[in-house]
Each structure stands twice: as C-alpha cells, then as structure tokens.
Amino acid sequence: MHSFTEENYLKAIYHLLVRRQSATTNDIAASLGTKAASVTDMLKKLSDKKLIHYARYQGVTLTTNGESIALGIVRKHRLWECFLVEKLNFKWDEVHDMAEELEHISSAKLIDRLDEFMGCPAYDPHGDPIPNNKGQIINQQLQPALQLSKHQSGIIAGVADHSPAFLQYLEKTQLIIGETITVTDLSDYDISVSLKTTNKEMNISREVAKNILIAI
Amino acid sequence: MHSFTEENYLKAIYHLLVRRQSATTNDIAASLGTKAASVTDMLKKLSDKKLIHYARYQGVTLTTNGESIALGIVRKHRLWECFLVEKLNFKWDEVHDMAEELEHISSAKLIDRLDEFMGCPAYDPHGDPIPNNKGQIINQQLQPALQLSKHQSGIIAGVADHSPAFLQYLEKTQLIIGETITVTDLSDYDISVSLKTTNKEMNISREVAKNILIAI
DNA sequence: TATAAAATTTAGATTAGCCTAAATTTTTAA
DNA sequence: TTAAAAATTTAGGCTAATCTAAATTTTATA
Ligand SMILES: [Mn+2]
Ligand SMILES: [Mn+2]
Ligand SMILES: [Mn+2]
Ligand SMILES: [Mn+2]
C-alpha cells in the first residue's frame, strides 16, 4: 500500500503534531534522522498523494486520510509492544526497536487478531494509549510529576522520555506505570523532588520528575 | 544487516536447491517474480558479498554463510506461521503472505523468544521442518501419497503444494497433517486414488495424491 | 557437428529515497 | 525597518533494485 518510508514520515508528523502542535521540515528531519532536503522531497510526494496539507515554507498537517494511516501505524507499534512485553517477556526498555519494524507488517486482520489475543489493551507498556481499529484513541490528560504540589498524590501513567536509559532507571527505582506516588518535599533551591511510593521513600531529580507523567 | 531483497534471493535460492538440486537464473526470476536480467545483477552482488558461489552461465549455490542466512529466514517464516495458526487462530492456508513479511523482522532475540513461547515446535503448520537457532534442520524423508501401494498405510506429514486452494481442499476433506490414510484402491486407467482415513472413505485425484506427502 | 533454440548476461534507462551545496524565503533582532 | 540568522527549498547527483532490448553463451537437435 504505502512504503515503509512513507509510513515513517506520516507517523513522525503525527507525533510532532501531538507533542508540539506543529511539524516543520527540520523537526521531521531530526526525528527521522534524515536531512531537510530529503524531507522536502517527501513532503511533495505525500502532498501529491493527499496525505498531508503542505504549503512551501509553512510546515505541514495531516489530512484525514494521512492521520488515519498514522494512527494505524501507532496502533500496530503499541500492540506489538504489548505482545513483546506480556507474551515474550521483554522489558519495557527493550521493545521499541522491534516494534519499529513490526509496525510495518501490513495485514489489518493480523493486527486485529493480535489485539484480541492481547485482550484489547487500552495502553501500551509505556502508558501510551492504543488506537482502536477505527483509529479512535483515548486522549489522556497527564501532567509531569514535577507539577505535583507538596503532599499531593498521583498515579504514574506514562513517560515523556522513552529512552532505554530512562526506562531502566525507572524500573530499577520501581517508579513504574500504576504506582502511586506522593510528593513529600519540593525544594526551590535544590534540584530534587522527594516522594514516597507504597514501599519506599526516595529523591529524584527535576529532570526525572519532568519525564514521569501522572494521571490527573 | 541485509536488505529484504537480498534475503528473498537467498531464500529462493535455498528452496530451489532443496527442491530441485539446482538454482538457475530463470528459476530464481520465476520464483521471485522478477526478470532474468535483474537476477543476474543481484547474483553479482551476492557473489561479491560471498553469500553465493557464482560463475557466469553456470547457476549458483549458497556459501556456508549464505545458507545460514537463508536458514535463518526459513526459521523465522515457519515459526511465525506457527504463531499465526496456534495463537491467532488463522487457518493454514491464510498465513503464508503474512509470514513473508514477518520473516524479515531482524531481531534474533525476538525469534528465539517466539520459539520458546511456541514450545520449540519441530514443524510448521504445513509439516515443514523448522531450523533451530543454529540453523540445523531435520531432513524429513517424505513420499507422495501417490507412491503408496494398495492396502498400504501412512501418516500425512506434509504438502508439496502450498497454495491456499490446495490447502483449503485438504482441510475440507480432512486430509490434514497427522491423519493416517490407507490406500484402498489404485487404478491404472482411471486417474484417481481411493483411500480411507479414520473417519471416512474417499477418492482423490492423482494430482492431489501427488501433492500429499507421507512420512516414511 | 553445425545450427537453431534457450538461457544468460550486458547495455542503457527508470524510480524511490537519500545526499551536499547553493539559492530562496521567513524570522529574529539590532 | 532592515540586516543577519535560521529555515526551507531547489539543483544536481548517488545507490539499490528494477526493467527492456540487444548481445553472448550454452544446450539441444537435425
Ligand atoms: Mn515504542
Ligand atoms: Mn510504547
Ligand atoms: Mn509459508
Ligand atoms: Mn509453511
């Protein structure tokens, strides 16, 4: 149907629009590891195919069609991650690269069967919502743990940084999806946040607190 | 590591060598749906990479390295077929095209985990042996049902035709892997073979009998 | 064993996706 | 409000994989 490359562009544009409200040539190039000139070439092609709205120098948005393809890729990526973690016992920091390949397996029937096999999960191992087979997706309202005030509690529901290093750190410190945390101290001059979980108390950096997402 | 295209060439060459003891330019072109000129180009490239032994006009064989890559692809293809049939409830005639895509997923760790998850099966849904992670494969000695003599029994262990149409016919008539059949009549002038299974008696054409493989 | 037929290779092009360098447009800030 | 900086596009090229048409080699057969 569409090439892997086209699918990757549409997905990158989708993520940029979700996360930053805009998708520029340089942003797309950075997220795909290509050069801006290559992106411009592809934007013309995607525009010709009516998958994006594109006006020179103005950045892009997805057409209805383009967005539904992007959501299909995101759905596959996240469902395969569920499979890898829950059935094949991979850790949540190990699955992304495999899912980057698996998301391009074309069969819609396969992915719907996988969805069923996994029990139609709503979220992937990183807390990201899984679009259903009509492309509908739950829009989670999450906030960085850093924004919690002193004595406030919340449940960890996602991460803003998906890097293996960060995920491994969270795993090691038991700051995992579903865990309830309570802020015990917030310091202005120091750069750390003190908190307690069900089992223990700990101190995390502002950087970490910024990347842990709490359900509101 | 290697492109999908290179992997497909190596797999095609492997299958031709197994099934016909030789792999010629035209045969490879036919099995990949490309033209002979394209095959010649790729043979040069695979030869430069020391994956095949190639001498102009003489056909090709696989190097140790080339064969081990081919066996890796075959392993992935067959394990994914097992998964699709046993876990996602696909029929044996539906899985081939999906496996053609899944066989190129690169992670060795993924395929070894999948192997484990499936219980390290020795055969795929069509009775074809699955190479282990060292590339070792069981060399089954099978014979076409057509070669059974009158009153002789045997167990269906494979198929020589993997087309959905043939597989559906076998499924419908319950001539499936593991079924014991006994030849009740063989006619010289008529083109059919009469046989009985555990449940019923039936009559199949020579063409069908040729493509049902019996364990010896 | 000499042709004819078949198989294979070479020559020359095309397409998708990528690149660098140069030109153009937009944005920033003096 | 204009010059510098940043972003983007254009121009020109490269590689992998493909093709058609023509040339070459092998094989079959008269
Ligand atoms: Mn991921
Ligand atoms: Mn994820
Ligand atoms: Mn198959
Ligand atoms: Mn099979």
Side-chain angles (χ1 to χ4, degrees):
Chain A
M1 190 64 165
H2 303 97
S3 70
F4 283 22
T5 304
E6 287 172 334
E7 292 186 344
N8 283 335
Y9 270 86
L10 292 173
K11 186 181 59 149
I13 292 166
Y14 170 83
H15 284 312
L16 286 168
L17 291 173
V18 167
R19 294 198 290 252
R20 309 201 208 162
Q21 279 68 255
S22 83
T24 66
T25 301
N26 272 350
D27 287 344
I28 296 166
S31 52
L32 293 173
T34 60
K35 296 304 166 83
S38 309
V39 173
T40 299
D41 283 350
M42 181 58 82
L43 294 184
K44 282 182 204 150
K45 195 205 293 189
L46 294 174
S47 181
D48 288 347
K49 293 191 173 186
K50 308 239 191 287
L51 298 173
I52 60 173
H53 296 294
Y54 172 57
R56 272 157 70 255
Y57 293 101
Q58 306 302 300
V60 298
T61 55
L62 293 167
T63 61
T64 306
N65 206 210
E67 186 182 43
S68 105
I69 293 166
L71 283 163
I73 306 299
V74 168
R75 169 173 163 78
K76 288 190 277 182
H77 184 104
R78 293 179 180 167
L79 277 171
W80 279 114
E81 284 189 344
C82 288
F83 170 73
L84 293 172
V85 167
E86 288 170 37
K87 302 295 183 181
L88 300 195
N89 301 119
F90 281 101
K91 305 251 191 63
W92 70 339
D93 59 287
E94 298 178 303
V95 298
H96 185 77
D97 293 349
M98 290 178 268
E100 285 291 308
E101 294 182 35
L102 288 161
E103 72 191 4
H104 301 291
I105 300 298
S106 62
S107 171
K109 196 169 175 184
L110 166 50
I111 206 65
D112 289 344
R113 292 280 181 95
L114 183 67
D115 189 24
E116 206 183 318
F117 181 61
M118 296 308 301
C120 303
Y123 301 100
D124 85 355
H126 312 101
D128 295 309
I130 299 173
N132 68 16
N133 64 6
K134 289 168 181 67
Q136 294 160 330
I137 188 168
I138 295 162
N139 199 349
Q140 287 190 103
Q141 299 298 332
L142 303 181
Q143 65 177 193
L146 192 57
Q147 284 173 23
L148 291 176
S149 43
K150 197 170 174 177
H151 303 310
Q152 204 183 348
S153 289
I155 296 171
I156 299 178
V159 291
D161 173 3
H162 289 70
S163 71
F166 182 61
L167 297 177
Q168 281 159 25
Y169 169 81
L170 294 185
E171 174 109 43
K172 201 179 61 193
T173 51
Q174 283 294 304
L175 294 171
I176 56 181
I177 306 284
E179 190 74 35
T180 300
I181 62 172
T182 306
V183 173
T184 56
D185 199 22
L186 270 171
S187 131
D188 270 347
Y189 92 173
D190 165 63
I191 49 162
S192 67
V193 176
S194 298
L195 53 83
K196 65 167 190 255
T197 68
T198 36
N199 296 321
K200 52 183 172 180
E201 296 193 32
M202 69 185 80
N203 197 271
I204 60 177
S205 70
R206 271 185 127 67
E207 187 62 21
V208 168
K210 207 170 63 189
N211 287 320
I212 293 175
L213 301 179
I214 304 298
I216 298 175
Chain B
M1 191 64 165
H2 303 97
S3 69
F4 283 22
T5 304
E6 288 173 334
E7 291 186 345
N8 284 335
Y9 271 87
L10 292 173
K11 187 181 59 152
I13 292 166
Y14 171 82
H15 285 312
L16 286 168
L17 291 173
V18 168
R19 293 199 291 252
R20 310 201 207 160
Q21 279 67 256
S22 84
T24 67
T25 301
N26 272 350
D27 287 345
I28 296 166
S31 52
L32 293 173
T34 59
K35 296 303 166 80
S38 310
V39 173
T40 300
D41 283 351
M42 182 58 83
L43 294 184
K44 282 182 204 150
K45 195 207 291 190
L46 293 174
S47 179
D48 288 347
K49 293 191 174 186
K50 308 239 192 289
L51 299 172
I52 60 173
H53 297 294
Y54 171 57
R56 271 156 72 254
Y57 294 100
Q58 307 303 299
V60 299
T61 55
L62 293 167
T63 61
T64 306
N65 206 210
E67 186 182 43
S68 104
I69 292 166
L71 283 163
I73 306 299
V74 168
R75 168 173 164 78
K76 288 190 277 182
H77 185 104
R78 293 179 180 167
L79 277 171
W80 279 114
E81 285 188 343
C82 288
F83 170 72
L84 294 171
V85 167
E86 288 170 37
K87 303 294 183 182
L88 301 194
N89 301 120
F90 281 100
K91 305 252 191 64
W92 71 338
D93 59 288
E94 298 178 303
V95 297
H96 186 76
D97 293 348
M98 290 178 269
E100 285 292 307
E101 294 182 33
L102 288 161
E103 73 191 4
H104 302 290
I105 300 298
S106 62
S107 170
K109 195 168 176 184
L110 166 50
I111 205 65
D112 289 344
R113 291 282 180 93
L114 182 68
D115 188 25
E116 206 182 318
F117 181 61
M118 296 308 302
C120 302
Y123 302 100
D124 86 356
H126 311 103
D128 295 309
I130 299 173
N132 69 15
N133 64 5
K134 287 167 182 69
Q136 294 159 330
I137 189 169
I138 296 161
N139 198 350
Q140 287 189 103
Q141 299 298 331
L142 303 181
Q143 65 178 194
L146 190 59
Q147 284 174 24
L148 290 176
S149 42
K150 199 169 172 176
H151 304 308
Q152 204 182 349
S153 289
I155 296 170
I156 299 178
V159 291
D161 173 4
H162 289 70
S163 72
F166 182 61
L167 297 177
Q168 281 159 24
Y169 170 82
L170 293 184
E171 173 110 44
K172 202 179 60 193
T173 51
Q174 282 294 306
L175 293 171
I176 57 181
I177 306 284
E179 189 74 36
T180 300
I181 62 172
T182 307
V183 173
T184 55
D185 199 22
L186 270 172
S187 133
D188 269 347
Y189 94 169
D190 164 67
I191 50 162
S192 68
V193 176
S194 299
L195 53 82
K196 65 167 191 255
T197 68
T198 34
N199 297 320
K200 52 184 173 179
E201 296 194 30
M202 70 185 81
N203 197 270
I204 60 176
S205 71
R206 270 185 126 66
E207 187 61 21
V208 167
K210 208 170 64 188
N211 287 321
I212 292 174
L213 302 179
I214 304 299
I216 299 174

